[in-house]
Amino acid sequence: MESLTLWALLLLPPTALALGCPTGCQCSQPQVVFCAGRRSHEVPRGLPPDTTSLYAFENGITALGDGSFRGLPVLQQLDLSQNEIAALQGDVFQPLSSLVNLDLSSNQLREITNETFRGLRRLERLYLERNQIQHIHPAAFDTLENLLELKLQHNQLRSVPPLNLPSLLLLDVSHNAITALEAGAFRAGNLESLRVAGLGLSRLDEELFESLENLHELDVSDNALGSVPAVLRRLRGLTKLSLAGNARIAQLRAEDFGALRNLQELDISNLNLNTIPRDFFSGLPRLRAVTAAENPFNCVCPLSWLTRWLRGSPVALRRSEETRCHFPPKNAAKLLQHLEYADFGCPATPTPTPTPGTTSPLPAGPFSTSRPPPPAASVAAPTAAPVGGSSTLAPLTAPQGPTSPARQLCPPRTCLNGGTCWLDTHHHLQCRCPAGFSGPSCEAEVRRTTTAPDTQVPARGKRISVKQVGSSSLTVDLRSYQQAKDQLKGVRLTYRNLSGPDKRPVTLSLPTSLSEYTVRALRPNATYRLCAGPLGEKPSEGEFCLEARTAPAAPVTHQQHLPVTQTKDGNLTLMVVPAVAAVLLLVIAVAAVTYYLRHRRAKAQDGPGVDASPLELEGVKTCLENKDLAAQNSKPPEDVAAPNDLDCEAPLMHQRYPSNNNTPAGKPAYF
């Protein structure tokens, strides 16, 4: 409310302020009183009678009395926001017959009676958001015949109060406890902006909008809509529409928006969209801005048209940094707007149809395969036409002549080891692997002689696979599981030992960007149960489990030899080295005994009462008093200094702190 003007008042010199201004306030001409941050439980007293604007927000006001606003016949703007007002007495605003704007937001109001706003016939803007209002009297707004804006968002209302307001232009009832909107809830024929966000609505009845022929802005974000509301087909005057946050909406159809020829701003962010139909925006000629962030887009060929359209169109993509690809893995987390045509896996140039009797040569590379093509229903997913071409959709498999073999047009290295690439009905890239290979990209070779059952090749329908890395490690492949789940925020990986006495599960939280994870510090030759589930949901929902066994531990050899260089005098070297080592040990022992005897003799000369313990060598006593830290398998006490020589060595890494996060040290930093 004229924020620039208000803050400018703070910069006025003292000479510009009117005389007789209340304590803690600033007054200026024409008739503006600014009392921001004044700490008092009451409305400022002694206001000039010609005051037209009073700003008393964030004052700590707890109540309004009968005489709070007497003597202010020309007051037009009153800002009491961010105070602690819990109740309003009847007729408290009645002396303010000229009031136009009233801001009571961010207080502690719980009820609005039929006497609260009595006498405010000129009121145009009423802000009651961010209170604790639970009940509004049906006749509370009946006398506000000139009201233009009414804000009731972020309260505790369970229903929309009766609104017989012929002049109302803006209504906001978002984020209340309203679970359903009854027919006839909005009796305001001139309403231009309606905001019903965050109410948990699963549908919008057309009866609600029968009288709203003048509606320009509609915000139904953060609800539970399962599809685009059919009522949009009759709201031809909409210029701004927000469907954001309705995560159940997974598909957009051009016919649902066909009547919105005047739409200028569209927000379809945070839905469950994998793709947007080609030429979807062609029916919105006046569109100026679109927001499509936080959608799990499949950046494959059918979506390639969107980036070309964004670059050649004057429409602005808002929140572009949050508009990223979700699939396939090679495009995951990439900015949609930065992808090139080839990044979507589309053919570089259209493949011409060969003439009868000729054969089309196949290029060498990982695309070619002698396997027969998948069924027509699986490969007939549409792809985008080249830039400037027609909108006719071409199948994924290129046209073939009578004698031309099958050809797969897939992104490079999508399917390895001769695998066949194809698009399923959800436009997801899939790979059919030849015998002897498995995995989402046919990257894993099946070794049945060395791999325990159920660890390499998952059965049909499974979503994770496990392979052995060593006797104490298992690698879990999560790519298929992540691709099969929509709106996956993360993966909850749980494992437990079925062979040992301790069967308590260990749970890890993994990001979707991690395609595989290696579980370490496991027991050799043990059976483990591993389960993957969606992060943030109940363990029983969407979870898949399998069992895998670690390999037996390799036999430990105790032979330790110093490296010996074999020469023609090799036998002499093998004889000399042990002899030299024995002499050195003897010299060290003699020196130690001599030092000990001298040190003890010196101690004895100091007189009785002096400890002459033989454990006097620096480091040795500390080590033995702590019972050999290396063997105790625990962290040394913080008050014990580490020895400076080699008399006592503590291990650098203890077994009780195994590294199980695929990093050299530290806890997982994913979440």
Side-chain angles (χ1 to χ4, degrees):
M1 298 174 61
E2 303 180 359
S3 58
L4 295 178
T5 303
L6 300 181
W7 288 112
L9 297 177
L10 296 175
L11 304 178
L12 292 177
T15 56
L17 302 178
L19 298 177
C21 191
T23 304
C25 300
Q26 293 180 329
C27 303
S28 64
Q29 299 295 334
Q31 303 89 25
V32 176
V33 180
F34 195 80
C35 304
R38 169 182 169 272
R39 307 309 300 172
S40 175
H41 297 300
E42 298 180 349
V43 175
R45 296 185 180 275
L47 295 169
D50 59 348
T51 301
T52 59
S53 300
L54 172 60
Y55 300 94
F57 55 87
E58 202 175 354
N59 277 216
I61 300 173
T62 58
L64 302 178
D66 294 337
S68 297
F69 304 109
R70 289 180 182 175
L72 300 173
V74 295
L75 188 66
Q76 297 181 7
Q77 296 190 103
L78 177 59
D79 188 348
L80 297 172
S81 62
Q82 304 181 54
N83 283 292
E84 302 173 9
I85 304 172
L88 297 173
Q89 298 181 9
D91 301 332
V92 65
F93 299 113
Q94 191 167 10
L96 306 178
S97 57
S98 300
L99 196 63
V100 176
N101 299 333
L102 176 58
D103 190 349
L104 291 167
S105 60
S106 299
N107 277 279
Q108 300 175 13
L109 298 175
R110 296 188 178 184
E111 183 181 11
I112 303 297
T113 69
N114 60 337
E115 299 178 351
T116 302
F117 304 119
R118 183 180 295 175
L120 302 182
R121 294 191 175 275
R122 295 188 180 181
L123 194 66
E124 294 181 355
R125 295 171 181 84
L126 177 58
Y127 301 151
L128 296 170
E129 70 267 23
R130 299 188 183 278
N131 279 276
Q132 303 172 19
I133 301 175
Q134 300 178 2
H135 179 262
I136 296 179
H137 193 277
F141 306 125
D142 284 354
T143 60
L144 307 181
E145 54 189 24
N146 292 312
L147 195 64
L148 302 178
E149 297 182 10
L150 177 59
K151 295 184 178 181
L152 296 168
Q153 67 268 30
H154 292 284
N155 279 287
Q156 300 175 16
L157 296 173
R158 295 186 178 276
S159 62
V160 178
L163 300 174
N164 298 316
L165 303 172
S167 301
L168 192 65
L169 300 179
L170 182 147
L171 174 63
D172 193 341
V173 293
S174 302
H175 302 287
N176 277 277
I178 304 171
T179 57
L181 296 175
E182 300 178 358
F186 311 119
R187 297 178 181 176
N190 292 318
L191 195 65
E192 294 183 353
S193 178
L194 176 61
R195 302 170 187 174
V196 290
L199 300 182
L201 303 176
S202 59
R203 58 189 178 90
L204 290 179
D205 295 333
E206 295 191 19
E207 291 79 4
L208 291 170
F209 301 88
E210 286 183 349
S211 60
L212 305 182
E213 300 295 338
N214 199 38
L215 197 63
H216 296 330
E217 298 182 4
L218 177 61
D219 184 357
V220 292
S221 60
D222 298 324
N223 280 289
L225 300 176
S227 60
V228 177
V231 71
L232 295 181
R233 301 180 182 182
R234 61 178 300 172
L235 301 178
R236 301 179 180 274
L238 281 185
T239 59
K240 185 177 181 180
L241 172 63
S242 177
L243 295 168
N246 289 275
R248 294 174 56 191
I249 298 180
Q251 182 181 13
L252 297 180
R253 300 182 304 175
E255 54 266 29
D256 293 332
F257 299 82
L260 306 181
R261 306 287 296 180
N262 296 313
L263 196 65
Q264 300 178 14
E265 297 182 21
L266 175 62
D267 191 344
I268 51 175
S269 61
N270 198 17
L271 303 182
N272 195 18
L273 301 178
N274 297 130
T275 188
I276 297 179
R278 182 178 176 84
D279 298 333
F280 171 77
F281 298 108
S282 60
L284 308 174
R286 298 188 179 181
L287 193 66
R288 297 184 304 180
V290 61
T291 308
E294 298 184 82
N295 277 292
F297 286 120
N298 289 351
C299 294
V300 292
C301 199
L303 193 62
S304 61
W305 71 272
L306 183 58
T307 56
R308 302 198 306 274
W309 178 81
L310 289 172
R311 294 171 184 173
S313 170
V315 178
L317 179 64
R318 294 178 177 173
R319 297 173 60 189
S320 60
E321 292 296 323
E322 302 173 68
T323 310
R324 298 175 179 266
C325 298
H326 177 73
F327 185 85
K330 74 182 189 73
N331 289 335
K334 292 183 180 179
L335 294 178
L336 179 65
Q337 200 173 20
H338 290 176
L339 293 183
E340 300 294 338
Y341 177 74
D343 295 331
F344 290 87
C346 301
T349 56
T351 304
T353 303
T355 57
T358 62
T359 302
S360 298
L362 291 179
F367 314 143
S368 303
T369 175
S370 59
R371 296 173 59 88
S378 301
V379 299
T383 60
V387 179
S390 65
S391 60
T392 305
L393 303 181
L396 180 65
T397 305
Q400 306 291 330
T403 59
S404 59
R407 178 186 180 187
Q408 295 294 328
L409 302 176
C410 299
R413 298 191 63 80
T414 300
C415 299
L416 307 178
N417 299 310
T420 304
C421 174
W422 59 286
L423 279 176
D424 62 11
T425 55
H426 299 287
H427 302 296
H428 292 174
L429 283 175
Q430 302 289 343
C431 291
R432 286 193 175 94
C433 302
F437 295 93
S438 66
S441 302
C442 304
E443 74 285 355
E445 183 178 359
V446 179
R447 299 176 181 177
R448 301 184 183 276
T449 58
T450 60
T451 303
D454 202 15
T455 60
Q456 276 285 353
V457 184
R460 181 176 179 85
K462 292 188 177 181
R463 300 302 183 191
I464 63 174
S465 59
V466 181
K467 61 181 178 181
Q468 295 175 350
V469 179
S471 60
S472 62
S473 303
L474 292 173
T475 296
V476 185
D477 194 326
L478 302 168
R479 280 172 289 190
S480 295
Y481 183 82
Q482 293 170 349
Q483 295 168 9
K485 295 291 183 181
D486 295 330
Q487 291 287 40
L488 190 64
K489 298 180 180 180
V491 177
R492 181 183 62 254
L493 181 62
T494 304
Y495 66 93
R496 60 177 177 170
N497 186 0
L498 301 181
S499 302
D502 188 0
K503 295 181 173 59
R504 291 177 297 178
V506 179
T507 302
L508 305 173
S509 298
L510 309 179
T512 55
S513 58
L514 199 63
S515 60
E516 65 178 22
Y517 184 84
T518 300
V519 183
R520 305 182 186 276
L522 303 179
R523 295 181 63 87
N525 200 24
T527 301
Y528 282 85
R529 181 174 178 82
L530 301 99
C531 298
L535 190 65
E537 300 182 10
K538 297 180 180 179
S540 59
E541 296 181 358
E543 190 175 56
F544 177 78
C545 302
L546 55 77
E547 296 181 5
R549 191 170 184 85
T550 54
V556 180
T557 58
H558 298 282
Q559 298 179 358
Q560 297 181 354
H561 301 283
L562 293 174
V564 178
T565 303
Q566 295 291 339
T567 62
K568 62 182 180 179
D569 298 328
N571 294 332
L572 179 61
T573 303
L574 293 176
M575 296 174 59
V576 171
V577 171
V580 173
V583 172
L584 290 177
L585 289 175
L586 180 61
V587 172
I588 293 174
V590 172
V593 171
T594 303
Y595 175 83
Y596 163 68
L597 293 176
R598 290 178 180 177
H599 190 68
R600 186 171 185 177
R601 189 177 302 111
K603 286 282 185 176
Q605 294 176 2
D606 292 338
V610 178
D611 184 14
S613 170
L615 302 176
E616 293 292 345
L617 293 179
E618 182 180 1
V620 175
K621 182 175 181 180
T622 301
C623 184
L624 295 181
E625 285 180 350
N626 288 278
K627 299 180 181 179
D628 192 1
L629 295 177
Q632 200 179 32
N633 192 21
S634 62
K635 188 177 181 180
E638 296 179 358
D639 57 344
V640 178
N644 296 326
D645 51 23
L646 299 179
D647 291 324
C648 176
E649 292 182 321
L652 298 179
M653 179 175 291
H654 303 282
Q655 295 181 1
R656 63 179 295 183
Y657 302 115
S659 176
N660 195 23
N661 57 3
N662 296 334
T663 57
K667 296 182 178 180
Y670 304 134
F671 297 95

